[in-house]
Amino acid sequence: MAKGFCISKPLGILGILLGVAAVCTIVTLSVVYAKEKNKNAESSSLEHPTSGPVSPASATTTATTLDQSQPWNRYRLPTTLMPESYRVWLMPHLQPNDQGLYIFHGNSTVRFTCMEATNLIIIHSKNLNYTSQGHPVTLRGVGGSSPPEIDKTELVVLTDYLVVHLKGDLVVGSQYEMDSEFVGELADDLAGFYRSEYMDGDVKKVVATTQMQATDARKSFPCFDEPAMKAIFNITIVHPKNFTALSNMLPKGPSVPFDGDPTWNVTEFEPTPRMSTYLLAYIVSEFTSVQKETPNNVQISIWARPSATTEGHSNYALNVTGPILDFFSQYYNTPYPLKKSDQIALPDFNAGAMENWGLVTYRENSLLFDPLSSSSSNKERVVTVIAHELAHQWFGNLVTVAWWNDLWLNEGFASYVEYLGADYAEPSWNLKDLIVVNDVYKVMAVDALASSHPLSSPASEVNTPAQISEQFDTIAYSKGASVLRMLSSFLTEDVFRKGLVSYLHTFAYNNTNYLDLWEHLQKAVDDTPSLNLSTSVRNIMDRWILQMGFPLITVDTNTGTISQKHFLLDPESNVTRPSEFNYLWFVPISSVKNGKEQAQYWLQGTKEAQSALFQTANDDWVLLNINVTGYYQVNYDDNNWRKIQNQLQSDSSAIPVINRAQIIYDSFNLASAQIVPVTLALNNTLFLIQEKEYMPWQAALSSLSYFKLMFDRSEVYGPMQRYLRRQVQPLFDYFKNVTKNWVERPQTLMEQYNEINAISTACTNEIKECGELALNLFTEWMSHPDNNTIHPNLRSTIYCNAIAQGGEEKWNFAWEQFQKATLVNEADKLRSALACSKEVWILNRYLTYTLNPDLIRKQDATSTINSIASNAVGQTLVWDFIRSNWKKLFEDYGGGSFSFSNLIQTVTRRFSTEYELQQLEQFKQDNMDTGFGSGTRALEQALEKTKANIKWVNQNKEEVLRWFTENSIVS
């Protein structure tokens, strides 16, 4: 699944604008890549949404204290039964019934094999109303076996189980089939089999769609809802005859009329391969598609609202899907496993996208692209999210992790190779470099906290739906991507791919854990003697997977001494999580000396070593971690730092672009951790006055945005703005010239991104010409609402700055345009920009809109609240709002992973006073009964970060004020 990214992985333009991409906070990205789902099972209750009684032979157990001796009180399924196949028949009703509810009818048959003798059938079931008379299920033997009689059944709410008690044991090796009939609610909760709505003109349209990951297939039909319980699925959908039904597989043939009611059709689909329940999908809609067939006879279809299809918004996705599928077929040395690849853009969808096998679901902004109204970053988001989801069709779908504790392997891998697939589709964009900005440094900000966690946890620690949901975090996605990229780098891509191909071929249609991948990579290493690794892949990688955090590599260029230490943003924080490796790593170290690349060096799991590679004389300088392929940060002796700064200011081109960004990122993080003076980090930005490249500027703006968060309510902010005006003015003038006074766009993607940085930084820091540019462009649009001449690349920053400078009139105009927007990318830009107002009452009104799904879609509510909180004027309003509305917010979004945890992170990231810390601690205490669900870990991180912020501000405020004052003087 793509990161609840509503964060676009690529850029996060508005974040730059508002200065909220703090170097030490979680950003969810666009990525973008991102997993919002399940309601907290521990607070859920069984619902019976329709007519038709629950079978009187079934009881409902709602105990809140679990007797672990009973298997139905354990969240993990017993291994006594193994499913082989399902037959599922579903009939969604797209009009409300007499009670005003949307419902679906269904029946299912599951065939399973008895692996151990048992008198229990335990199967997942949630919010389903069983309609059979007598027992809710019937049981029969297969192949001559005779089943025992059913004694009783019960529904256990806490663990989402339907439990069938038998009067005798099932026989080992025998197969059985269990039938059930049920009714469920087609709710608008974005989970399981759910309802999405959109307007076609003045007509409301309804779509029945699915989101099963991680634990919601059980809301659609009774099933063994764990990833290792793979089976074959035979899906039949009954739907209105003017609607189209889609599922993972192609239909067996044309739809046929439903017996007894010719207004309905029946579509029966081919059996799926052996697969996990969380990858199932079925959709009933009036959507239309564009299609093409690959040279390998794979049918590609992009489905969307009919108006979006007609306007050509699906064409870009169609054009890049074929090349990306071809790339991964070659990369994995394995043909695409299915006959077709459907991708569909949904109006209501919680995550960024979901990799359902053969039927990938997306938010509209992650699949649709309008050349006239969408920006370059919108286009980049589409190609990278598609690459992410298509990477899963092999890695995740064909071969699946056995349990959610290894989710990082699934999502981290896709988050890494999405850049490779997207780069293949758009080779001129240099997309592979962006992983450093979008993933590596983003996740280091979280992984440098004492409250971080390892990539892989023991399976025994991940049981409940809420615990599973917590796995879908930035550590799993971005750290997973970062360490796998490092692994591929030091193994070489050829060896990495060789091991990967062996792994996929060995475990196709089965389940694995990360050790299986290490084993196959080791075989590839053993077949490549020239690689000469000093120890095994497992010995190296277990230290990156099983312990949290990452090392700080410190170099003394006077002696050539190199050392490592667990890097913590707060050096006084208490690390309570033990590590069998004592927080030491095997570290692959690449380096350049005076611009010349040196041989790779390994720090062999020891605290300290020495090498002439890192010793310098005279004016020589050394720089470690070329292109940031290693997952670590670097500190140098003062003399080497000065030499690097001199090189940057005399001829920065001697240092690779990515490493110019690295120097800024690392030094600011070191300053945050009080390892180097804050002035050293600030001095590393002086060269930007002559820098034109995107990545160094992005590193600086991201790093300095932490200063903005800490100081934009203090006397430091004025001198800081003056310094940024001084530094950005040459860049602003450069792009004004390149674009011929903002009429044309720069040629390369990176230049286009840095043009946006130039305008947003200039406007935010009150360069008069920029403010006038924003107001003039926006006012021109207000004069001609049907002709928006603002280039799509610039709309986010122009909208925001115009609304920030304007009052109610400009806000109301933007709100009207948001309500009328038919393209989700345009609506997203306006929705974010509406949070830029400086009027307290307007922001308060906007906050209330987020609780009304008729005004702000549920899927967009938390990101809208985050946008308001990113505004210095809005932050206090949002904090009060969240405290006042916590219970409702938790009920609506507490089961989600990205959106909810990021809500806590965003609203607290300015906290830097004892009073704010007390408020946060009181908030935790006041809401212990309600709970925090998947945001629990984020709350602990927010408390830790607030304490670190208080300490940092107290120690650095005076020095920062002095530095900005001195360096903002125009000579």
mmCIF file of all heavy atoms in Angstrom, residues 768-793:
data_model
loop_
_atom_site.group_PDB
_atom_site.id
_atom_site.type_symbol
_atom_site.label_atom_id
_atom_site.label_comp_id
_atom_site.label_asym_id
_atom_site.label_seq_id
_atom_site.Cartn_x
_atom_site.Cartn_y
_atom_site.Cartn_z
ATOM 1 N N LYS A 768 8.927 41.665 -1.488
ATOM 2 C CA LYS A 768 7.764 42.420 -1.966
ATOM 3 C C LYS A 768 7.341 41.998 -3.363
ATOM 4 O O LYS A 768 6.138 41.821 -3.632
ATOM 5 C CB LYS A 768 8.083 43.917 -1.939
ATOM 6 C CG LYS A 768 6.905 44.806 -2.327
ATOM 7 C CD LYS A 768 7.281 46.290 -2.246
ATOM 8 C CE LYS A 768 6.103 47.168 -2.667
ATOM 9 N NZ LYS A 768 6.463 48.618 -2.636
ATOM 10 N N GLU A 769 8.286 41.824 -4.257
ATOM 11 C CA GLU A 769 7.953 41.474 -5.635
ATOM 12 C C GLU A 769 7.217 40.140 -5.715
ATOM 13 O O GLU A 769 6.327 39.960 -6.547
ATOM 14 C CB GLU A 769 9.230 41.419 -6.475
ATOM 15 C CG GLU A 769 8.978 41.156 -7.957
ATOM 16 C CD GLU A 769 10.267 41.097 -8.760
ATOM 17 O OE1 GLU A 769 11.346 41.392 -8.199
ATOM 18 O OE2 GLU A 769 10.192 40.755 -9.953
ATOM 19 N N CYS A 770 7.565 39.234 -4.827
ATOM 20 C CA CYS A 770 6.905 37.925 -4.824
ATOM 21 C C CYS A 770 5.464 38.044 -4.331
ATOM 22 O O CYS A 770 4.548 37.448 -4.911
ATOM 23 C CB CYS A 770 7.686 36.954 -3.944
ATOM 24 S SG CYS A 770 7.074 35.257 -4.035
ATOM 25 N N GLY A 771 5.272 38.800 -3.264
ATOM 26 C CA GLY A 771 3.911 38.996 -2.769
ATOM 27 C C GLY A 771 3.021 39.641 -3.810
ATOM 28 O O GLY A 771 1.850 39.262 -3.963
ATOM 29 N N GLU A 772 3.564 40.605 -4.538
ATOM 30 C CA GLU A 772 2.790 41.247 -5.601
ATOM 31 C C GLU A 772 2.482 40.268 -6.722
ATOM 32 O O GLU A 772 1.377 40.276 -7.279
ATOM 33 C CB GLU A 772 3.569 42.451 -6.145
ATOM 34 C CG GLU A 772 3.676 43.598 -5.154
ATOM 35 C CD GLU A 772 4.606 44.704 -5.634
ATOM 36 O OE1 GLU A 772 5.299 44.478 -6.662
ATOM 37 O OE2 GLU A 772 4.650 45.768 -4.988
ATOM 38 N N LEU A 773 3.443 39.417 -7.049
ATOM 39 C CA LEU A 773 3.213 38.392 -8.071
ATOM 40 C C LEU A 773 2.048 37.493 -7.679
ATOM 41 O O LEU A 773 1.134 37.235 -8.484
ATOM 42 C CB LEU A 773 4.488 37.556 -8.249
ATOM 43 C CG LEU A 773 4.378 36.316 -9.157
ATOM 44 C CD1 LEU A 773 4.182 36.725 -10.614
ATOM 45 C CD2 LEU A 773 5.628 35.440 -9.005
ATOM 46 N N ALA A 774 2.042 37.026 -6.430
ATOM 47 C CA ALA A 774 0.978 36.132 -5.967
ATOM 48 C C ALA A 774 -0.382 36.826 -5.995
ATOM 49 O O ALA A 774 -1.373 36.267 -6.486
ATOM 50 C CB ALA A 774 1.291 35.618 -4.564
ATOM 51 N N LEU A 775 -0.423 38.032 -5.465
ATOM 52 C CA LEU A 775 -1.696 38.758 -5.431
ATOM 53 C C LEU A 775 -2.211 39.068 -6.828
ATOM 54 O O LEU A 775 -3.408 38.917 -7.113
ATOM 55 C CB LEU A 775 -1.528 40.053 -4.640
ATOM 56 C CG LEU A 775 -1.665 39.963 -3.119
ATOM 57 C CD1 LEU A 775 -1.403 41.320 -2.486
ATOM 58 C CD2 LEU A 775 -3.057 39.454 -2.728
ATOM 59 N N ASN A 776 -1.330 39.489 -7.723
ATOM 60 C CA ASN A 776 -1.755 39.843 -9.078
ATOM 61 C C ASN A 776 -2.304 38.632 -9.825
ATOM 62 O O ASN A 776 -3.342 38.712 -10.495
ATOM 63 C CB ASN A 776 -0.591 40.461 -9.863
ATOM 64 C CG ASN A 776 -0.214 41.837 -9.350
ATOM 65 O OD1 ASN A 776 -0.995 42.486 -8.654
ATOM 66 N ND2 ASN A 776 1.000 42.282 -9.666
ATOM 67 N N LEU A 777 -1.604 37.495 -9.712
ATOM 68 C CA LEU A 777 -2.067 36.281 -10.410
ATOM 69 C C LEU A 777 -3.408 35.819 -9.854
ATOM 70 O O LEU A 777 -4.303 35.415 -10.606
ATOM 71 C CB LEU A 777 -1.017 35.177 -10.290
ATOM 72 C CG LEU A 777 0.265 35.358 -11.111
ATOM 73 C CD1 LEU A 777 1.297 34.300 -10.740
ATOM 74 C CD2 LEU A 777 -0.039 35.303 -12.606
ATOM 75 N N PHE A 778 -3.549 35.857 -8.543
ATOM 76 C CA PHE A 778 -4.794 35.396 -7.914
ATOM 77 C C PHE A 778 -5.943 36.348 -8.226
ATOM 78 O O PHE A 778 -7.076 35.912 -8.513
ATOM 79 C CB PHE A 778 -4.592 35.262 -6.404
ATOM 80 C CG PHE A 778 -5.648 34.434 -5.724
ATOM 81 C CD1 PHE A 778 -5.564 33.048 -5.695
ATOM 82 C CD2 PHE A 778 -6.738 35.040 -5.096
ATOM 83 C CE1 PHE A 778 -6.536 32.281 -5.063
ATOM 84 C CE2 PHE A 778 -7.711 34.285 -4.465
ATOM 85 C CZ PHE A 778 -7.615 32.896 -4.449
ATOM 86 N N THR A 779 -5.668 37.653 -8.177
ATOM 87 C CA THR A 779 -6.709 38.639 -8.479
ATOM 88 C C THR A 779 -7.176 38.518 -9.923
ATOM 89 O O THR A 779 -8.369 38.659 -10.223
ATOM 90 C CB THR A 779 -6.191 40.056 -8.197
ATOM 91 O OG1 THR A 779 -5.780 40.148 -6.835
ATOM 92 C CG2 THR A 779 -7.271 41.098 -8.456
ATOM 93 N N GLU A 780 -6.234 38.254 -10.824
ATOM 94 C CA GLU A 780 -6.595 38.045 -12.230
ATOM 95 C C GLU A 780 -7.535 36.856 -12.371
ATOM 96 O O GLU A 780 -8.511 36.896 -13.129
ATOM 97 C CB GLU A 780 -5.313 37.832 -13.050
ATOM 98 C CG GLU A 780 -5.551 37.461 -14.518
ATOM 99 C CD GLU A 780 -6.195 38.588 -15.327
ATOM 100 O OE1 GLU A 780 -6.123 39.759 -14.890
ATOM 101 O OE2 GLU A 780 -6.760 38.278 -16.394
ATOM 102 N N TRP A 781 -7.255 35.815 -11.618
ATOM 103 C CA TRP A 781 -8.140 34.638 -11.659
ATOM 104 C C TRP A 781 -9.515 34.983 -11.099
ATOM 105 O O TRP A 781 -10.544 34.572 -11.648
ATOM 106 C CB TRP A 781 -7.494 33.493 -10.872
ATOM 107 C CG TRP A 781 -8.287 32.207 -10.885
ATOM 108 C CD1 TRP A 781 -9.116 31.754 -11.880
ATOM 109 C CD2 TRP A 781 -8.327 31.221 -9.851
ATOM 110 N NE1 TRP A 781 -9.660 30.538 -11.534
ATOM 111 C CE2 TRP A 781 -9.193 30.189 -10.290
ATOM 112 C CE3 TRP A 781 -7.717 31.101 -8.617
ATOM 113 C CZ2 TRP A 781 -9.453 29.052 -9.522
ATOM 114 C CZ3 TRP A 781 -7.964 29.968 -7.847
ATOM 115 C CH2 TRP A 781 -8.830 28.960 -8.296
ATOM 116 N N MET A 782 -9.560 35.745 -10.010
ATOM 117 C CA MET A 782 -10.843 36.139 -9.441
ATOM 118 C C MET A 782 -11.662 36.946 -10.454
ATOM 119 O O MET A 782 -12.899 36.850 -10.476
ATOM 120 C CB MET A 782 -10.631 36.961 -8.163
ATOM 121 C CG MET A 782 -10.089 36.153 -6.992
ATOM 122 S SD MET A 782 -9.813 37.166 -5.503
ATOM 123 C CE MET A 782 -11.481 37.614 -5.049
ATOM 124 N N SER A 783 -10.974 37.706 -11.294
ATOM 125 C CA SER A 783 -11.689 38.503 -12.307
ATOM 126 C C SER A 783 -12.231 37.642 -13.432
ATOM 127 O O SER A 783 -13.209 38.017 -14.094
ATOM 128 C CB SER A 783 -10.743 39.566 -12.883
ATOM 129 O OG SER A 783 -10.266 40.419 -11.880
ATOM 130 N N HIS A 784 -11.589 36.488 -13.665
ATOM 131 C CA HIS A 784 -12.017 35.573 -14.729
ATOM 132 C C HIS A 784 -12.024 34.148 -14.175
ATOM 133 O O HIS A 784 -11.126 33.340 -14.467
ATOM 134 C CB HIS A 784 -11.088 35.673 -15.935
ATOM 135 C CG HIS A 784 -10.964 37.065 -16.489
ATOM 136 N ND1 HIS A 784 -10.000 37.973 -16.047
ATOM 137 C CD2 HIS A 784 -11.699 37.718 -17.437
ATOM 138 C CE1 HIS A 784 -10.139 39.117 -16.690
ATOM 139 N NE2 HIS A 784 -11.160 38.998 -17.545
ATOM 140 N N PRO A 785 -13.017 33.814 -13.339
ATOM 141 C CA PRO A 785 -13.007 32.530 -12.631
ATOM 142 C C PRO A 785 -12.952 31.312 -13.546
ATOM 143 O O PRO A 785 -12.495 30.248 -13.118
ATOM 144 C CB PRO A 785 -14.321 32.563 -11.836
ATOM 145 C CG PRO A 785 -14.678 34.009 -11.730
ATOM 146 C CD PRO A 785 -14.181 34.643 -12.988
ATOM 147 N N ASP A 786 -13.422 31.452 -14.765
ATOM 148 C CA ASP A 786 -13.427 30.307 -15.673
ATOM 149 C C ASP A 786 -12.135 30.179 -16.468
ATOM 150 O O ASP A 786 -12.019 29.290 -17.326
ATOM 151 C CB ASP A 786 -14.616 30.419 -16.645
ATOM 152 C CG ASP A 786 -15.953 30.371 -15.930
ATOM 153 O OD1 ASP A 786 -16.026 29.666 -14.895
ATOM 154 O OD2 ASP A 786 -16.911 31.024 -16.383
ATOM 155 N N ASN A 787 -11.189 31.053 -16.206
ATOM 156 C CA ASN A 787 -9.933 31.008 -16.955
ATOM 157 C C ASN A 787 -8.770 31.213 -15.986
ATOM 158 O O ASN A 787 -8.293 32.319 -15.776
ATOM 159 C CB ASN A 787 -9.913 32.102 -18.038
ATOM 160 C CG ASN A 787 -8.639 32.052 -18.860
ATOM 161 O OD1 ASN A 787 -8.015 31.001 -19.000
ATOM 162 N ND2 ASN A 787 -8.240 33.199 -19.397
ATOM 163 N N ASN A 788 -8.315 30.122 -15.379
ATOM 164 C CA ASN A 788 -7.223 30.167 -14.411
ATOM 165 C C ASN A 788 -5.896 30.081 -15.157
ATOM 166 O O ASN A 788 -5.495 29.015 -15.636
ATOM 167 C CB ASN A 788 -7.345 29.015 -13.410
ATOM 168 C CG ASN A 788 -6.320 29.117 -12.295
ATOM 169 O OD1 ASN A 788 -5.412 29.937 -12.338
ATOM 170 N ND2 ASN A 788 -6.478 28.270 -11.281
ATOM 171 N N THR A 789 -5.205 31.205 -15.267
ATOM 172 C CA THR A 789 -3.950 31.246 -16.028
ATOM 173 C C THR A 789 -2.724 30.951 -15.161
ATOM 174 O O THR A 789 -1.603 30.954 -15.661
ATOM 175 C CB THR A 789 -3.773 32.626 -16.681
ATOM 176 O OG1 THR A 789 -3.770 33.624 -15.654
ATOM 177 C CG2 THR A 789 -4.894 32.908 -17.678
ATOM 178 N N ILE A 790 -2.926 30.697 -13.861
ATOM 179 C CA ILE A 790 -1.795 30.352 -12.987
ATOM 180 C C ILE A 790 -1.311 28.956 -13.368
ATOM 181 O O ILE A 790 -2.092 28.007 -13.408
ATOM 182 C CB ILE A 790 -2.209 30.385 -11.507
ATOM 183 C CG1 ILE A 790 -2.823 31.740 -11.147
ATOM 184 C CG2 ILE A 790 -1.021 30.080 -10.615
ATOM 185 C CD1 ILE A 790 -3.483 31.774 -9.775
ATOM 186 N N HIS A 791 -0.032 28.817 -13.650
ATOM 187 C CA HIS A 791 0.485 27.510 -14.061
ATOM 188 C C HIS A 791 0.294 26.498 -12.933
ATOM 189 O O HIS A 791 0.491 26.823 -11.756
ATOM 190 C CB HIS A 791 1.965 27.597 -14.434
ATOM 191 C CG HIS A 791 2.471 26.357 -15.104
ATOM 192 N ND1 HIS A 791 2.883 25.247 -14.394
ATOM 193 C CD2 HIS A 791 2.598 26.039 -16.418
ATOM 194 C CE1 HIS A 791 3.259 24.305 -15.243
ATOM 195 N NE2 HIS A 791 3.094 24.758 -16.470
ATOM 196 N N PRO A 792 -0.096 25.273 -13.257
ATOM 197 C CA PRO A 792 -0.340 24.265 -12.212
ATOM 198 C C PRO A 792 0.825 24.081 -11.248
ATOM 199 O O PRO A 792 0.608 23.847 -10.056
ATOM 200 C CB PRO A 792 -0.612 22.994 -13.016
ATOM 201 C CG PRO A 792 -1.190 23.472 -14.298
ATOM 202 C CD PRO A 792 -0.480 24.765 -14.591
ATOM 203 N N ASN A 793 2.067 24.193 -11.736
ATOM 204 C CA ASN A 793 3.223 24.037 -10.838
ATOM 205 C C ASN A 793 3.221 25.084 -9.725
ATOM 206 O O ASN A 793 3.706 24.834 -8.623
ATOM 207 C CB ASN A 793 4.528 24.174 -11.620
ATOM 208 C CG ASN A 793 4.900 22.931 -12.384
ATOM 209 O OD1 ASN A 793 4.105 21.994 -12.482
ATOM 210 N ND2 ASN A 793 6.101 22.911 -12.933
#
